Amino acid sequence: MDMRDLVTGGAACAVPGSSSSSSNPLAALANTLIGSSSKIQENKEIPTSITPSSERQIYTETNDHLGALDQPFVDPNAPQHSDFLRGFHGSGGGQTELDAAWNDIHPPPPPQLDHIYDTHPHPQQHQPILDGPPQRMLSSLLHSFVDSSRGGVPFHATPLPVLGLSEGDKQCIRNRSSIMARHIFADKSEDFINAQVNALLCSLDIDGDARAKGPLPGRFRELEDYWNESQGTLKPGFHAADGWVAEFNQQRMVHGANGWASEFEQQHGANGWASEFEQSQLTSVDQMRGSNISSLAAMEQTRMLANTLAQNDDPKFQNSKFLQFVSKMSRGELIIDDNQVKQTALPAAGDWASEYQHQYNRSPAWADEFLSHGPDQWVNEFTTERGQHGPVDDQWVNEFSKLHVHDWADEFGRQVGEGALGENSTDNWANAYDEFLNEQVAARQRSDTSRGVYVFSDMNPYVGHPNPLKEGQELFRKGLLSEAVLALEAEVLKNPDNAEGWRLLGIAHAENDDDQQAIAAMLRAQEADSTNLEVLLALGVSHTNELEQAAALKYLYGWLRHHPQYGTLAPPELSDSLYYADVARLFNEAAQMSPDDADVHIVLGVLYNLTREYDKAIESFQTALKLKPHDYSLWNKLGATQANSVHSADAIFAYQQALDLKPNYVRAWANMGISYANQGMYEDSIRYYVRALAMNPKADNAWQYLRISLSCASRDDMLEACDSRNLDVLQKEFPL
Amino acid sequence: MPVFKTPFNGYSVKFSPFYESRLAVATAQNFGILGNGRLHILDLPPTPSSPFVELASFDTADGVYDVAWSESHDSLLVAAVADGSLKIYDLSLPPTSNPIRSLHEHSREVQSVDYNPVRRDSFISSSWDDSIKLWTLDRPTSIRSFQEHAYCVYAAVWNPRHADVFASASGDCTLRVWDVREPGSTMVVAAHEFEILSCDWNKYDDCVIATASVDKSVRVWDIRTYRTPLAVLNGHGYAVRKVKFSPHNRSFLVSCSYDMTVCAWDYMVEDARIGQYGHHTEFAVGVDMSVLVEGLIASTGWDELVYVWQYGTDPRAP
């Protein structure tokens, strides 16, 4: 404490009034003696803007003015205050202790320092501190974080260039975002909140931290303890990697190479390695907390939350800055900036620590993937791999021990890069779910208004055509779906009881991604021919798409009952009270009866979709595809199922197969877009949507998807073109 | 009524108890997550068509989460700053002399500050460090710390009649009532299943208190029969951030919420929600009612706008 502090009592009790008019004569003396530079120290916070006109109104600039408080601090023993103070019980002790404390601190201790000012001694630097380019990014990142509450769409981790945040800043962000997230995302599950906060922290390269104020104590007590424990034992990043290597070497020396793996398993149990890795992934801690809840439950919760949000039809929410913001900060803008800055920010190859750090940003994705697979599977994979190398265990171990930390990190990085660890699958679920919801909402609206009512086009040039059915079939075969629709409409106008005409019309609409019309047409087809298997299957699929289990079961069961081969399997009395388990059992029987009938496997795949057993569904479709490799709609079904499960990347392959077989398959183009969007590749998704829409501008769903993707890709400039359905502009902007 | 645009996100707005046209607005950059803060002192213009007059503004190194006018001096304000400090500003002094005090004892963000309206010489602050602290202007350290809550204390509010009684609302889902003459809290009300973000005493019945929670509801309690609420006010779509009883009407209260609206309630009638204002385009987090002008409401939000309007009129009306 320097002399000024001793005399003036420090800046904390800076005397009201200018220094010369100080009511504290000692302070005046000090100023005279030491010079008035003290003012600069005292007033660390210099207000910037006071309008000159109002200045006079607010404080009177007179030398004899005493502020509202004449005395800096009044003696606590002064009679007028003692009454009051006696009324209070000191929390830690009695009055005397307070007095003692008072004496001790009179003059009081130096003022608490403000951290921003500490690092930037010149007040004028204070303002720009958060306005430079990186800070603008920070600002918009935080903005999109906050805004992400409204859409229910998870906040995406976006790597930012190094912002130069101090430890204090980081802790602020960590603590505050955790606490605020619990208010803002109140509707959502703890998992969701943690994922949001982690995405934010990851973007900013901030570690999760035990000091952070997490959720309410008690709720996750056990996990917190576990976490704290694990944190004590392992440090993140470099040290952890070092630790492993060291540990590995140790193990190797003691037990010899062959024994290592089994030894390790003995020591740590089957999940040991996985959990150890988990411990070192500091950033993923919160997600790991959620790992107790099965991923299915988490998904269910996400769905419920998304549902709640989707029900908010307040236009303000729909128009809120949310979507615009996710866009503004996210990909487009930031990635460009990011790339530029990243070039310079990235260290020379070989700087292992930063490289790791860089990978580290993506660890939540890893963690998510990890969650979705479950540790067991992962470990299994690990052990199978080991098994394959069985005989060369020694070699493998040697190889491993030869690996530099650097190599290890590279390997890790490569795997991440290859997508071996996948994209953030939680995001995918939620995104897919959002889309699914949109679809559902739209479907519900449709069903309310015009379910089953087929709407004919105006001005149909094929009316009066001598053989519109043949023309329609021909057009359909050529893939000119919109034209085919017109021709087929002409056919069913001419022959309203032509089941085949209605069926083809339904299929054309379905492939054109227009479910409303597809269902309406199929219903008419069924009216005309109640036992047509293809119609029954198509209706079953349509209702499955809308998650209407009862209706779907009805038609799928109908399919079985009317099938010449399996009809005997289906007792007619069952049709009154259909249960999923019964129907699934019957189809499994049918599949056993004739394992080479692709159709049965297709229906089974559809059935498994009903109960969201996607792995089984994928298996069924894949079996069917072996029998019918050229069925493009089957590839599409497989893709859709994969997209619904966690294998969005696989879905793209399946859709591509479908498109190779039938390039004008609008539905597959749109689905492809959805898959890309689910993986966060919005620019790509836009191109596919635009392509789909170019083929069928009436696909309302695709327009909705396109709008979402445009927003997410920061292409607000194209929203107008989207809203006005201006395909020319969109196609020019987004060629495929 | 005019609108005032703040450079940072609004956090709190308070009418001066001395001047009917004056109000203070607490703001924080980047939603208070990181960055600076600014305290604005505004005067309503003489005619509704002219803009607000900004009398002064003070910058802080961290977000300002709340502000309270002194009940004893018309020019004094206390700001609750996110860095854990309380800063006292004197409008009658030149800007270079402000803040006149910086009281730094809270170890975490200070979320609320309330000036004792009866004694007029002390104020309480509540913080994310789970504590509430009692201060007087003339002491450099707090007089007492109240440490019972198990999580962030989002609000602490003096009883309008009893000089020694205050209530606190916390993320530990409890409302506590305290008497500073007692060593511990005198009442614990498990008022909500979710975090409680705000509370306020009825100005006409000193036993009635309202709480606002993350569970989207506002509840009104009589602390003599605290097992069941007097009223549960549903209507907000997201967490309710602040609740405030009218100084002029026994059953009237206003609240603001993360659903971006400000709601007016009459908790004694069946259809309790008597008004909803959707003028904010981002979270509405600050609301206050003037003591001096009946029915005058002010609100601020993360859309960086401050609105002042008369109950029954449209906040956005020119």
Side-chain angles (χ1 to χ4, degrees):
Chain A
M1 191 178 274
D2 64 18
M3 178 187 170
R4 176 179 317 284
D5 285 336
L6 287 171
V7 182
T8 61
C13 58
V15 182
S18 69
S19 55
S20 58
S21 71
S22 167
S23 60
N24 180 346
L26 274 179
L29 175 64
N31 282 333
T32 320
L33 287 177
I34 309 166
S36 55
S37 65
S38 67
K39 263 299 161 218
I40 293 155
Q41 290 173 7
E42 286 174 12
N43 297 300
K44 296 198 163 170
E45 305 193 335
I46 295 172
T48 51
S49 64
I50 287 207
T51 51
S53 63
S54 63
E55 213 165 6
R56 242 170 272 138
Q57 296 183 324
I58 271 300
Y59 69 91
T60 47
E61 216 172 330
T62 53
N63 279 350
D64 58 353
H65 174 81
L66 299 177
L69 301 172
D70 328 328
Q71 307 281 317
F73 289 120
V74 180
D75 186 332
N77 296 319
Q80 72 269 32
H81 290 275
S82 53
D83 264 2
F84 177 52
L85 291 177
R86 259 197 289 278
F88 298 117
H89 289 265
S91 55
Q95 186 75 28
T96 48
E97 223 175 278
L98 262 178
D99 288 348
W102 170 255
N103 292 333
D104 274 351
I105 45 138
H106 195 64
Q112 299 288 338
L113 300 172
D114 294 314
H115 64 273
I116 291 185
Y117 290 97
D118 280 350
T119 49
H120 301 275
H122 306 294
Q124 61 269 31
Q125 281 188 7
H126 162 54
Q127 273 315 103
I129 178 96
L130 286 159
D131 281 323
Q135 279 71 28
R136 219 169 24 240
M137 273 178 233
L138 171 69
S139 211
S140 42
L141 181 78
L142 293 174
H143 210 146
S144 81
F145 169 71
V146 166
D147 278 322
S148 67
S149 64
R150 265 162 266 150
V153 174
F155 173 74
H156 290 279
T158 309
L160 286 179
V162 178
L163 292 178
L165 296 173
S166 72
E167 269 312 303
D169 291 344
K170 288 182 176 183
Q171 202 178 335
C172 263
I173 296 177
R174 185 164 50 224
N175 294 339
R176 292 178 189 170
S177 58
S178 317
I179 289 185
M180 288 176 187
R182 288 185 166 72
H183 305 162
I184 300 169
F185 304 114
D187 272 359
K188 292 149 218 184
S189 70
E190 190 74 18
D191 287 343
F192 183 90
I193 294 171
N194 288 330
Q196 296 286 94
V197 172
N198 273 314
L200 173 75
L201 296 184
C202 268
S203 296
L204 295 170
D205 193 17
I206 299 175
D207 295 343
D209 192 289
R211 285 170 297 171
K213 199 134 186 166
L216 287 187
R219 284 192 200 168
F220 295 90
R221 178 73 76 198
E222 199 179 312
L223 287 157
E224 258 162 31
D225 288 345
Y226 167 72
W227 163 242
N228 291 335
E229 203 176 297
S230 70
Q231 230 220 342
T233 58
L234 274 169
K235 295 229 179 299
F238 190 80
H239 302 291
D242 259 0
W244 290 345
V245 172
E247 193 178 329
F248 180 80
N249 284 335
Q250 206 182 352
Q251 296 276 355
R252 195 171 141 260
M253 280 193 294
V254 177
H255 304 283
N258 271 331
W260 179 78
S262 55
E263 178 68 27
F264 191 89
E265 213 166 78
Q266 265 174 25
Q267 270 202 348
H268 300 273
N271 295 336
W273 198 73
S275 59
E276 195 162 326
F277 191 86
E278 169 187 354
Q279 286 167 7
S280 70
Q281 293 292 312
L282 282 185
T283 46
S284 60
V285 59
D286 282 334
Q287 272 152 330
M288 287 304 166
R289 270 186 190 148
S291 68
N292 270 20
I293 305 163
S294 79
S295 53
L296 192 72
M299 198 157 83
E300 224 23 66
Q301 277 175 322
T302 318
R303 281 173 185 234
M304 272 159 56
L305 117 81
N307 204 359
T308 329
L309 285 165
Q311 280 161 3
N312 191 332
D313 49 3
D314 182 348
K316 230 168 62 178
F317 271 73
Q318 310 297 340
N319 301 334
S320 113
K321 279 190 192 164
F322 163 65
L323 279 174
Q324 296 153 29
F325 248 115
V326 168
S327 42
K328 231 172 238 166
M329 98 353 99
S330 71
R331 325 240 159 206
E333 245 168 72
L334 270 190
I335 278 177
I336 295 165
D337 288 349
D338 189 31
N339 283 345
Q340 283 170 353
V341 188
K342 225 184 197 167
Q343 295 301 322
T344 54
L346 263 187
D351 185 344
W352 177 85
S354 339
E355 178 131 13
Y356 179 78
Q357 195 70 3
H358 176 58
Q359 300 299 344
Y360 196 57
N361 286 338
R362 309 197 45 168
S363 59
W366 184 88
D368 272 341
E369 185 67 8
F370 181 80
L371 279 184
S372 66
H373 282 307
D376 286 1
Q377 192 189 333
W378 197 72
V379 167
N380 285 343
E381 253 171 55
F382 175 77
T383 39
T384 13
E385 246 180 53
R386 215 193 106 243
Q388 285 161 1
H389 291 280
V392 286
D393 236 5
D394 271 327
Q395 189 197 333
W396 181 80
V397 168
N398 284 338
E399 225 167 77
F400 187 83
S401 64
K402 269 186 282 175
L403 286 179
H404 276 224
V405 178
H406 186 114
D407 296 334
W408 181 85
D410 275 349
E411 178 67 16
F412 181 63
R414 193 179 57 76
Q415 283 194 5
V416 172
E418 281 175 359
L421 305 177
E423 268 286 329
N424 192 325
S425 54
T426 310
D427 288 9
N428 292 343
W429 294 338
N431 277 353
Y433 190 65
D434 276 348
E435 261 141 359
F436 159 77
L437 272 178
N438 286 338
E439 210 166 28
Q440 254 202 334
V441 169
R444 209 171 292 131
Q445 285 163 351
R446 286 199 301 265
S447 65
D448 290 341
T449 54
S450 58
R451 154 143 300 182
V453 178
Y454 191 87
V455 183
F456 287 94
S457 314
D458 300 331
M459 307 287 290
N460 189 339
Y462 293 93
V463 172
H465 192 283
N467 192 348
L469 179 62
K470 191 156 177 291
E471 185 70 28
Q473 284 167 327
E474 186 63 17
L475 288 166
F476 183 80
R477 200 180 53 74
K478 286 186 193 156
L480 301 169
L481 290 175
S482 299
E483 285 295 296
V485 163
L486 290 175
L488 292 167
E489 281 183 3
E491 167 65 25
V492 295
L493 279 173
K494 203 164 115 187
N495 304 312
D497 294 330
N498 183 346
E500 179 61 11
W502 281 112
R503 185 186 74 83
L504 263 182
L505 186 54
I507 289 177
H509 277 302
E511 295 192 358
N512 236 347
D513 207 16
D514 190 342
D515 272 315
Q516 177 188 6
Q517 292 281 75
I519 290 178
M522 282 298 179
L523 283 173
R524 293 294 296 269
Q526 208 225 350
E527 269 173 38
D529 178 1
S530 61
T531 61
N532 186 310
L533 294 179
E534 285 174 83
V535 170
L536 289 169
L537 179 56
L539 281 168
V541 171
S542 297
H543 287 290
T544 303
N545 281 341
E546 305 198 4
L547 289 186
E548 293 168 349
Q549 193 178 25
L553 284 177
K554 186 178 108 189
Y555 290 113
L556 294 175
Y557 182 75
W559 183 90
L560 195 70
R561 219 158 67 82
H562 295 294
H563 198 284
Q565 204 176 341
Y566 316 119
T568 50
L569 282 175
E573 67 273 12
L574 200 65
S575 55
D576 296 332
S577 52
L578 284 171
Y579 290 104
Y580 170 79
D582 293 330
V583 179
R585 181 175 49 77
L586 290 174
F587 272 97
N588 271 312
E589 281 174 26
Q592 277 168 8
M593 243 169 85
S594 49
D596 291 338
D597 185 345
D599 287 346
V600 177
H601 292 288
I602 295 175
V603 178
L604 263 176
V606 174
L607 275 172
Y608 288 132
N609 262 293
L610 264 184
T611 48
R612 298 179 201 145
E613 294 169 86
Y614 295 122
D615 287 340
K616 284 187 181 175
I618 290 170
E619 208 177 301
S620 297
F621 287 138
Q622 278 168 342
T623 311
L625 274 168
K626 279 185 195 130
L627 303 163
K628 263 188 169 180
H630 298 296
D631 185 339
Y632 55 84
S633 77
L634 190 45
W635 280 109
N636 183 58
K637 286 189 181 73
L638 174 65
T641 310
Q642 284 168 330
N644 282 335
S645 72
V646 291
H647 310 291
S648 254
D650 298 345
I652 288 185
F653 173 79
Y655 291 141
Q656 193 58 57
Q657 293 288 319
L659 288 174
D660 287 347
L661 289 165
K662 189 177 173 88
N664 276 21
Y665 196 176
V666 175
R667 174 151 254 170
W669 286 108
N671 281 344
M672 193 85 129
I674 293 174
S675 260
Y676 277 112
N678 284 350
Q679 294 175 73
M681 299 151 82
Y682 297 112
E683 282 274 353
D684 293 285
S685 74
I686 291 169
R687 296 176 198 285
Y688 283 94
Y689 291 144
V690 170
R691 169 63 72 93
L693 287 166
M695 293 177 191
N696 178 23
K698 289 183 208 155
D700 288 344
N701 285 344
W703 282 110
Q704 288 172 17
Y705 302 152
L706 174 63
R707 197 171 200 288
I708 293 171
S709 274
L710 283 171
S711 300
C712 291
S714 337
R715 294 307 302 265
D716 294 10
D717 53 318
M718 300 307 285
L719 282 178
E720 204 188 305
C722 175
D723 291 341
S724 59
R725 303 202 166 185
N726 188 339
L727 275 167
D728 292 340
V729 174
L730 288 165
Q731 275 180 295
K732 199 175 283 175
E733 189 69 21
F734 302 106
L736 192 65
Chain B
M1 281 294 189
V3 177
F4 184 77
K5 171 98 174 116
T6 57
F8 299 157
N9 304 107
Y11 248 84
S12 179
V13 58
K14 296 280 175 75
F15 281 104
S16 160
F18 292 95
Y19 303 102
E20 60 182 45
S21 63
R22 190 160 298 172
L23 55 158
V25 184
T27 67
Q29 202 172 11
N30 294 322
F31 313 104
I33 294 175
L34 186 73
N36 299 328
R38 192 173 289 175
L39 183 63
H40 299 268
I41 315 299
L42 308 176
D43 254 357
L44 281 170
T47 57
S49 53
S50 35
F52 270 105
V53 179
E54 182 171 21
L55 298 179
S57 73
F58 303 105
D59 281 13
T60 56
D62 209 333
V64 188
Y65 283 180
D66 198 15
V67 59
W69 289 93
S70 160
E71 299 279 345
S72 57
H73 297 87
D74 60 357
S75 62
L76 282 187
L77 305 105
V78 187
V81 186
D83 63 7
S85 69
L86 290 151
K87 298 199 189 294
I88 303 175
Y89 295 90
D90 187 342
L91 294 176
S92 65
L93 294 177
T96 46
S97 308
N98 274 307
I100 58 170
R101 302 271 193 287
S102 182
L103 308 166
H104 204 146
E105 283 187 23
H106 283 297
S107 60
R108 300 285 310 272
E109 293 76 358
V110 190
Q111 170 104 40
S112 89
V113 58
D114 191 45
Y115 217 94
N116 191 315
V118 183
R119 301 195 65 107
R120 302 174 180 224
D121 57 358
S122 56
F123 55 94
I124 42 174
S125 60
S126 79
S127 159
W128 293 9
D129 67 8
D130 307 357
S131 76
I132 301 147
K133 286 181 190 287
L134 170 66
W135 313 79
T136 56
L137 278 178
D138 48 21
R139 286 191 154 236
T141 56
S142 64
I143 290 166
R144 212 191 130 174
S145 193
F146 303 85
Q147 208 119 26
E148 274 183 34
H149 281 295
Y151 198 64
C152 306
V153 190
Y154 296 118
V157 188
W158 289 107
N159 186 290
R161 294 262 178 94
H162 303 284
D164 303 308
V165 176
F166 70 91
S168 61
S170 160
D172 68 8
C173 308
T174 65
L175 170 81
R176 282 169 200 261
V177 180
W178 311 74
D179 186 320
V180 295
R181 296 163 298 192
E182 301 293 329
S185 63
T186 48
M187 186 175 289
V188 182
V189 184
H192 294 262
E193 301 277 298
F194 288 83
E195 293 192 55
I196 309 174
L197 302 182
S198 174
C199 62
D200 194 37
W201 294 94
N202 189 300
K203 308 297 183 276
Y204 291 83
D205 186 336
D206 52 16
C207 289
V208 170
I209 190 165
T211 54
S213 162
V214 163
D215 70 10
K216 309 173 192 172
S217 75
V218 171
R219 294 185 183 176
V220 184
W221 305 85
D222 186 322
I223 55 169
R224 292 162 297 195
T225 57
Y226 61 87
R227 300 214 179 276
T228 51
L230 291 179
V232 179
L233 311 178
N234 290 313
H236 276 301
Y238 280 87
V240 187
R241 178 56 182 262
K242 245 169 221 158
V243 62
K244 195 91 190 174
F245 264 110
S246 162
H248 298 100
N249 184 317
R250 143 186 309 273
S251 61
F252 186 88
L253 55 164
V254 291
S255 60
C256 61
S257 156
Y258 285 109
D259 69 3
M260 309 184 202
T261 67
V262 173
C263 282
W265 312 86
D266 184 335
Y267 82 89
M268 287 180 177
V269 302
E270 191 154 335
D271 291 325
R273 195 174 77 181
I274 51 177
Q276 184 169 28
Y277 299 96
H279 51 292
H280 283 291
T281 55
E282 299 287 332
F283 301 147
V285 294
V287 67
D288 195 29
M289 299 188 78
S290 169
V291 181
L292 301 171
V293 182
E294 186 169 350
L296 197 64
I297 305 173
S299 72
T300 186
W302 286 6
D303 57 4
E304 301 165 351
L305 294 173
V306 181
Y307 289 91
V308 176
W309 74 99
Q310 190 67 35
Y311 170 67
T313 66
D314 182 351
R316 277 173 295 202

